[in-house]
């Protein structure tokens, strides 16, 4: 019972999603109620037939025909209404899952980037898919079954009390026993179901990792290692599911069947010991029939505990994501007018107790200047770029952009004013046009003009559907250089005040690199350029070259000045 009260806030919150469709719910509940009444009236008619016609040898064909016809009609009404209420519940369930998935996806898109670094993508995917499916079952299975079962139990209990209250009280001794079983089931099943959801998320993540890294796995012959990992997680998941099946097999149907058998024996004993005429054969038939019918909804309610617990565990995981802290931005909505950046006494670490990545960084980047960040792997170049992008708002010191503190800038001010081109450009599933415009209303004529600048014009023109050619996320028919040039084309549409390239030319051929360099020179006329590079040949013309080492600025100056200094940059350039 403690588990139920603990899960009540989650259940209550899940149920609030159904308020929007309350009229449909009421219609479905009405159908269920009428269907239940129709089903319960069947044994009453048969009991009347046994007591007043069969035992009295009053075989009036007309009355018999009316009774049987009414019985068939009632059963058909029950079947038809149960069918329609099931359709309504499923329709509501699909709509609710659609809304929850939208909220989960919206929440995921607003998460701080460190959240994606801290947990595997597969776990987030599992919450969006598997956990929302578990919640769907709450509406189309659990609510439907529980309400139908409670309706049947309530109507049968009233009918039995009206027919013979002593036998009814004996039958109702089943109820407290069922409540005890439900409480015991909740106590033992909840932690196991929570573990099962965790293993399922881990399995999804491992499959996601294998599919994304298939090339490396095959190249380094790692199939057996990953296969063993999947098998191990699947075995753990299997063991937990077997525990649930054992609990189901012990506490649910077999135990309830035993209770029903005991109550049935009590009814027969009561019938046998009672004076002649105290109970009729029709009453006994009705009670035996109701006991069988009562057994089924009680078993249904109890078996729904498993699905209910899964829904609550899934809801707990989903609401944890929905309620998690979102990326914080400021409220200054004014667009950036300049690309001036001033960084003072900047210190940063990803976690409170993790090593400091950037130490006392002081840097001035004038608007429309060309600044290069260089250094060995792990020196903090990309981290500094991510801080300028506003991805990590928790840092010590100050970052001033366009004479305004970075933390005060709104989401739109940052994203419309600062753009980053990654080393691995992202291609979305969609047309070439949608991949370049990214939802912005840009004419095809302007897009073709931009593609001419990026040397992609002739390549896309040769495709049968032109700009409407569909690209897949993998896009194997595009080279690394072409993907990078698509990223550059996006920049030419956005015209940001600050442009950051994070080793964007490291995986492309010299010809494409030269094309990008020429484009960057034109971009520099209206944007501040910050380039992170390993190829020092690409940043010789930079106004300022910043050399980072173990999170500190060791040297800075233009190429000529740093070469004359014969320090770390000199060694890197000549190595």
């Amino acid at each position: 019972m403690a588990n139920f009260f603990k899960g009540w806030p989650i259940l209550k919150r899940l149920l609030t999603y159904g308020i929007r469709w309350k009229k449909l719910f009421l219609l479905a509940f009405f159908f269920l109620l009428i269907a239940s009444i129709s089903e319960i009236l069947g044994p009453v008619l048969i009991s009347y037939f046994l007591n007043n016609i069969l035992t009295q040898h009053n075989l009036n064909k007309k009355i018999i025909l009316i009774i049987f016809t009414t019985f068939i009609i009632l059963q058909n009404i029950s079947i038809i209404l149960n069918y329609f209420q099931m359709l309504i519940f499923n329709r509501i369930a699909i709509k609710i899952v659609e809304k929850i998935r939208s909220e989960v996806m919206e929440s995921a898109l607003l998460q701080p980037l460190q959240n994606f670094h801290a947990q595997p993508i597969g776990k987030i995917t599992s919450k969006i898919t598997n956990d929302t499916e578990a919640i769907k079952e709450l509406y189309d299975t659990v609510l439907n079954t529980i309400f139908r079962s409670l309706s049947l139990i309530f109507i049968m209990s009233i009918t039995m009390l009206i027919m013979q209250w002593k036998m009814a009280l004996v039958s109702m001794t089943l109820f407290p026993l069922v409540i005890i079983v439900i409480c015991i089931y909740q106590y033992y099943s909840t932690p196991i179901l929570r573990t099962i959801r965790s293993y399922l998320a881990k399995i999804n993540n491992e499959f996601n990792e294998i599919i994304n890294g298939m090339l490396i796995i095959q190249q380094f012959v790692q199939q057996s290692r990953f296969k063993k990992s999947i098998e191990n997680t699947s075995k753990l998941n299997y063991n937990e599911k077997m525990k649930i099946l054992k609990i189901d097999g012990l506490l649910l149907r077999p135990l309830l069947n035993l209770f029903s058998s005991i109550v049935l024996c009590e009814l027969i004993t009561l019938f046998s010991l009672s004076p002649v005429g105290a109970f009729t054969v029709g009453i006994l038939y009705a009670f035996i029939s109701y006991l069988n019918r009562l057994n089924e909804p009680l078993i249904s309610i109890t078996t729904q505990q498993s699905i209910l617990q899964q829904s609550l565990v899934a809801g707990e995981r989903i609401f944890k994501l929905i309620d998690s802290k979102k990326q914080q931005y400021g409220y200054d909505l004014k667009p950036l007018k300049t690309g001036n950046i001033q960084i003072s006494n900047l210190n940063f670490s990803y976690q409170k107790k993790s090593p400091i990545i950037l130490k006392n960084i002081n840097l001035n980047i004038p608007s429309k200047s060309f600044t290069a960040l260089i250094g060995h792997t792990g020196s903090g170049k990309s981290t500094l770029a991510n801080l300028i992008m506003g991805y990590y708002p928790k840092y010590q010191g100050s970052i001033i952009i366009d004479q305004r503190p970075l933390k005060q800038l709104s989401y739109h001010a940052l994203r419309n004013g600062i753009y980053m081109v990654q080393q691995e450009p992202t291609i979305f599933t969609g047309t070439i046009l949608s991949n370049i415009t990214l939802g912005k209303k840009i004419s095809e004529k302007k897009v073709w003009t931009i593609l001419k600048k990026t040397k992609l014009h002739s390549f896309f023109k040769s495709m049968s559907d032109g700009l409407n050619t569909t690209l897949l996320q993998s896009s194997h028919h595009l080279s690394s250089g072409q993907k990078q040039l698509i990223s550059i084309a996006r920049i030419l549409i956005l015209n940001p005040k600050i442009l950051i390239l994070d080793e964007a030319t490291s995986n492309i051929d010299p010809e494409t690199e030269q094309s990008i360099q020429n484009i960057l020179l034109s971009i520099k006329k209206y944007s501040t350029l910050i380039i992170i590079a390993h190829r020092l040949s690409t940043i010789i013309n930079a106004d300022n070259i910043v050399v980072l080492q173990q999170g500190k600025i060791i040297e800075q100056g233009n190429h000529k000045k740093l070469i004359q200094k014969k320090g770390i940059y000199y060694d890197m350039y000549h190595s």
Side-chain angles (χ1 to χ4, degrees), residues 345-448:
N345 304 318
L346 178 66
N347 293 279
F348 175 76
S349 62
Y350 286 101
Q351 302 292 337
K352 288 183 179 180
K353 296 182 180 180
S354 62
I356 298 176
I357 306 299
L358 295 174
K359 305 167 187 175
N360 197 33
I361 300 295
N362 290 279
L363 183 62
N364 182 39
I365 303 176
S367 183
K368 300 180 183 178
S369 66
F370 177 5
T371 298
L373 303 177
I374 68 167
H376 296 296
T377 301
S379 60
K381 308 182 298 296
S382 295
T383 301
L384 180 57
N386 286 329
L387 287 174
I388 294 172
M389 287 292 296
Y391 290 154
Y392 299 99
K394 292 184 179 180
Y395 54 82
Q396 295 178 344
S398 69
I399 301 176
I400 306 297
I401 296 179
D402 189 28
Q403 310 304 320
R404 290 175 283 172
L406 175 64
K407 292 180 179 179
Q408 292 182 9
L409 296 177
S410 68
Y411 173 80
H412 292 288
L414 276 172
R415 296 297 158 257
N416 290 328
I418 309 175
Y419 191 81
M420 179 185 285
V421 178
Q422 304 282 356
Q423 183 178 357
E424 294 293 335
T426 300
I427 301 297
F428 299 101
T429 300
T431 64
I432 294 169
L433 182 65
S434 66
N435 263 282
I436 293 173
T437 60
L438 296 178
K440 296 184 181 294
K441 293 183 179 180
I442 309 294
S443 67
E444 288 193 16
K445 184 178 179 181
K446 184 176 181 180
V447 172
W448 281 119

Side-chain angles (χ1 to χ4, degrees), residues 512-567:
T512 305
E513 181 184 344
Q514 186 57 51
S515 297
I516 291 176
Q517 289 293 327
N518 293 335
I519 295 168
L520 293 178
L521 288 175
S522 65
I523 291 174
K524 185 177 175 292
K525 295 176 183 177
Y526 54 81
S527 293
T528 300
L529 272 180
I530 301 173
I531 295 182
I532 299 171
H534 277 150
R535 290 185 188 176
L536 300 189
S537 59
T538 62
I539 50 93
I540 290 175
N541 296 321
D543 300 315
N544 189 29
I545 299 171
V546 180
V547 184
L548 289 162
Q549 189 177 67
Q550 296 181 347
K552 297 179 180 178
I553 295 178
I554 304 300
E555 296 176 348
Q556 62 175 310
N558 59 34
H559 174 75
K560 184 178 180 180
K561 179 181 176 182
L562 292 176
I563 290 294
Q564 290 173 348
K565 190 176 182 181
K566 294 188 176 181

Side-chain angles (χ1 to χ4, degrees), residues 77-91:
I77 289 172
S78 177
I79 292 169
I80 293 169
L81 292 181
N82 275 321
Y83 170 75
F84 281 110
Q85 61 83 17
M86 181 187 69
L87 289 181
I88 294 171
F89 272 112
N90 273 277
R91 180 183 175 186

Side-chain angles (χ1 to χ4, degrees), residues 252-395:
L252 299 184
R253 189 174 290 272
L255 194 58
L256 290 176
N257 282 334
L258 175 63
F259 292 158
S260 296
S261 300
I262 293 170
V263 172
L264 179 60
C265 291
E266 291 174 354
L267 288 176
I268 294 173
T269 303
L270 180 63
F271 181 78
S272 302
L273 297 177
S274 298
V276 177
F279 301 106
T280 62
V281 175
I283 293 290
L284 181 61
Y285 163 80
F287 270 81
I288 292 173
S289 177
Y290 282 140
L291 187 60
N292 289 330
R293 292 170 183 261
L294 193 64
N295 192 32
E296 193 56 41
L298 288 173
I299 290 173
S300 296
I301 289 175
T302 312
T303 53
Q304 292 307 307
Q305 291 301 304
S306 175
I307 301 174
L308 176 61
Q309 289 304 312
Q310 290 183 52
S311 299
L312 292 179
V313 171
E316 181 182 32
R317 285 160 51 85
I318 283 175
F319 292 141
K320 187 177 180 181
L321 175 61
I322 291 176
D323 298 336
S324 59
K325 193 174 182 180
K326 307 301 185 293
Q327 179 79 16
Q328 298 297 310
Y329 295 96
Y331 298 97
D332 191 339
L333 299 172
K334 290 185 294 183
L336 298 184
K337 293 181 179 179
T338 69
N340 182 63
I341 304 171
Q342 293 173 302
I343 301 173
S344 304
N345 304 318
L346 178 66
N347 293 279
F348 175 76
S349 62
Y350 286 101
Q351 302 292 337
K352 288 183 179 180
K353 296 182 180 180
S354 62
I356 298 176
I357 306 299
L358 295 174
K359 305 167 187 175
N360 197 33
I361 300 295
N362 290 279
L363 183 62
N364 182 39
I365 303 176
S367 183
K368 300 180 183 178
S369 66
F370 177 5
T371 298
L373 303 177
I374 68 167
H376 296 296
T377 301
S379 60
K381 308 182 298 296
S382 295
T383 301
L384 180 57
N386 286 329
L387 287 174
I388 294 172
M389 287 292 296
Y391 290 154
Y392 299 99
K394 292 184 179 180
Y395 54 82

